[in-house]
Amino acid sequence: MERAGIPAALICTLTSIAASVGANRIVPALGIPHPLGDPSLSLEDEKRKRRSLVEKALETLVSPISEQTIF
Amino acid sequence: MSRVVRVVHYLNQFFGQIGGEDQAGTPCMVKMGPVGPGLAFKAMFGDRAQIVATVICGDNHMGENLEESSAAAAALVAQYAPDILVAGPAFVSGRYGMACGAVCQAVSQELGIPVVTGMHEENPAVEIYRAHVVISPTGKSASKMRDAVQAMAKLALDLVEGREPEPGAYFPQGKRRLVVAAHSGAERAVEMLLARLRGQDVVTELPLPNFEKVPPAPALEDLAGATIVLGTEGGVTPVDNPDRIEMSMATKWGRYSLEGMAGMDPAKFTANHGGYDNTAAKQDPNRVVPLDVMRELAADHKMGSLAEFFYTTAGNATTVDNATRFGQEIVRDIRAQFKEKVGVVFTST
């Protein structure tokens, strides 16, 4: 994506792998089987966490960076 | 081998000097000694090997009934009790390549002798026969005959005389061969580490894939005017997985509609990915494709708009080649719809 000039945010748990394969805008997630969720929380709390994580991802798309960044 | 190596050479009707396309239906026949390119082989072999007979078949005759015809050719080859079969080279010619591959395979199976043929890497027969038959890489056309014969002759002599061919002498067959090393892996690893600490050059035993780093794309000016596209490698698909995206070693990606949906409904979407426990994702696919909050953010004007579809694949043991291809194809797909002001939010499990 990035090579084509499309900023791409990657929400993932294994951020070191993301960095080693070349992702530039990396956002740590909430867990491998549920990157944007947490079954131990109530739906309301889950959605709140999900929303703030997505907001962070959107932020990375408007953040000018010159190198790989884990936000 | 102290005695002269006996070689049988296989050629098609053209190189076997029977005729051109009009003779492509010629059934198999034998000419004694070397014919056509066989003379170039004879020069390369010197006194170490001798082409005792040349089996010639029309490419169409072979192509129309590959199994039967290659078996018949193998039977002819057998009559001359060769130590090795050399076929072609076929360069980029598809029918001839198939014939060489099939005859080599038949002879290898029936007679248990080494076989060598030669083709250009773009010859469709390479992919089909490389695992079964030793194929020497050649140039594209007969203008490269000399180089091809030289390489094939060397390879043939190496094989029949029991020498390990040089790396790259033939297309990799996908075979793993066990080799007993002089020192254990632990010893070799420590040696490597010590060499590194001494500042010496260390050659890796296993080259790792090189992941290209790409400079970050310029940031979007603002979110208000942007279209955001969602994607995932978590293996989330419609419940019937209509495109049959594999849960491991996926060979494809999909694009599915989110139109009219306020969130990812577990009755409509599922997750199949062999690399993580899919339970949480199946219960609530929003945990992998955050559509519900995306809709809220769009409604709250935190971003311009959300694309009404998402991209998906299963990123479990996906080959680097496939993953790269998916990325390129998806970018083309995105660009076909959104010329500018587009950003991607991609999720990974």
Side-chain angles (χ1 to χ4, degrees):
Chain A
M1 312 274 167
E2 301 258 330
R3 184 184 278 128
I6 302 176
L10 177 62
I11 305 176
C12 62
T13 305
L14 299 166
T15 53
S16 54
I17 294 184
S20 75
V21 302
N24 285 319
R25 295 173 155 92
I26 303 168
V27 178
L30 302 173
I32 290 174
H34 40 73
L36 291 123
D38 187 344
S40 70
L41 301 174
S42 68
L43 181 58
E44 239 178 79
D45 288 343
E46 256 198 303
K47 282 184 80 170
R48 213 181 335 235
K49 280 200 147 172
R50 180 150 60 240
R51 181 166 167 141
S52 73
L53 205 44
V54 173
E55 279 177 317
K56 200 179 191 187
L58 291 174
E59 259 312 297
T60 73
L61 299 180
V62 290
S63 306
I65 51 172
S66 56
E67 51 184 16
Q68 292 179 283
T69 310
I70 300 182
F71 283 81
Chain B
M1 189 165 282
S2 48
R3 63 169 173 82
V4 175
V5 170
R6 291 173 63 85
V7 180
V8 168
H9 192 189
Y10 173 86
L11 292 173
N12 72 357
Q13 80 286 351
F14 173 75
F15 289 100
Q17 302 180 340
I18 307 288
E21 249 335 286
D22 56 316
Q23 296 297 327
T26 306
C28 299
M29 49 137 72
V30 180
K31 284 188 185 175
M32 297 312 292
V35 175
L39 293 166
F41 276 105
K42 176 180 155 134
M44 285 293 161
F45 284 143
D47 51 13
R48 286 158 77 188
Q50 191 185 40
I51 294 180
V52 297
T54 303
V55 172
I56 303 167
C57 304
D59 280 341
N60 285 351
H61 174 78
M62 268 291 160
E64 276 147 24
N65 205 333
L66 208 50
E67 220 180 289
E68 221 178 86
S69 302
S70 56
L76 282 176
V77 170
Q79 285 174 20
Y80 298 91
D83 300 305
I84 185 166
L85 172 74
V86 171
F91 303 106
V92 87
S93 164
R95 280 176 305 160
Y96 191 13
M98 292 297 290
C100 287
V103 173
C104 280
Q105 187 173 12
V107 166
S108 169
Q109 280 165 3
E110 289 305 311
L111 308 189
I113 58 172
V115 295
V116 172
T117 181
M119 297 178 209
H120 183 265
E121 64 180 347
E122 285 168 22
N123 192 316
V126 167
E127 271 321 295
I128 298 172
Y129 286 102
R130 59 148 63 169
H132 309 286
V133 159
V134 169
I135 307 177
S136 172
T138 71
K140 277 190 165 175
S141 74
S143 64
K144 302 288 183 207
M145 179 66 82
R146 230 172 76 104
D147 293 336
V149 168
Q150 189 170 32
M152 286 171 66
K154 178 172 192 320
L155 185 49
L157 288 173
D158 281 345
L159 289 176
V160 82
E161 290 171 357
R163 280 185 301 275
E164 185 64 41
E166 275 164 31
Y170 56 95
F171 289 108
Q173 300 196 297
K175 288 183 181 154
R176 236 180 227 184
R177 282 167 33 219
L178 287 180
V179 170
V180 179
H183 301 280
S184 73
E187 291 174 311
R188 300 193 321 267
V190 170
E191 269 313 307
M192 263 192 197
L193 177 60
L194 291 176
R196 261 234 162 126
L197 292 171
R198 286 182 218 119
Q200 289 164 350
D201 274 330
V202 169
V203 177
T204 181
E205 286 186 9
L206 186 64
L208 296 181
N210 207 346
F211 294 107
E212 253 186 285
K213 302 289 182 241
V214 174
L220 298 172
E221 246 174 64
D222 54 50
L223 289 168
T227 303
I228 305 300
V229 178
L230 273 177
T232 185
E233 64 75 46
V236 172
T237 65
V239 279
D240 55 344
N241 194 1
D243 297 305
R244 304 274 179 271
I245 298 177
E246 304 92 327
M247 61 194 291
S248 182
M249 293 163 51
T251 59
K252 34 197 149 152
W253 52 271
R255 186 188 81 190
Y256 302 108
S257 174
L258 297 172
E259 244 175 302
M261 299 179 194
M264 301 295 282
D265 181 348
K268 295 208 171 100
F269 292 98
T270 181
N272 287 300
H273 182 299
Y276 72 95
D277 179 347
N278 303 152
T279 312
K282 283 179 157 132
Q283 273 169 4
D284 182 0
N286 289 294
R287 289 171 174 152
V288 177
V289 180
L291 180 61
D292 56 1
V293 313
M294 278 289 190
R295 291 292 192 206
E296 284 177 12
L297 289 165
D300 292 345
H301 304 291
K302 300 286 188 182
M303 64 195 213
S305 62
L306 179 65
E308 288 299 340
F309 51 81
F310 73 105
Y311 293 97
T312 184
T313 188
N316 177 220
T318 330
T319 66
V320 175
D321 283 347
N322 276 340
T324 308
R325 175 174 60 87
F326 297 169
Q328 289 162 348
E329 290 171 354
I330 291 175
V331 163
R332 267 204 290 277
D333 202 71
I334 293 177
R335 279 283 179 233
Q337 305 177 73
F338 307 110
K339 297 298 175 200
E340 48 174 23
K341 294 198 171 170
V342 59
V344 170
V345 172
F346 202 87
T347 74
S348 172
T349 53

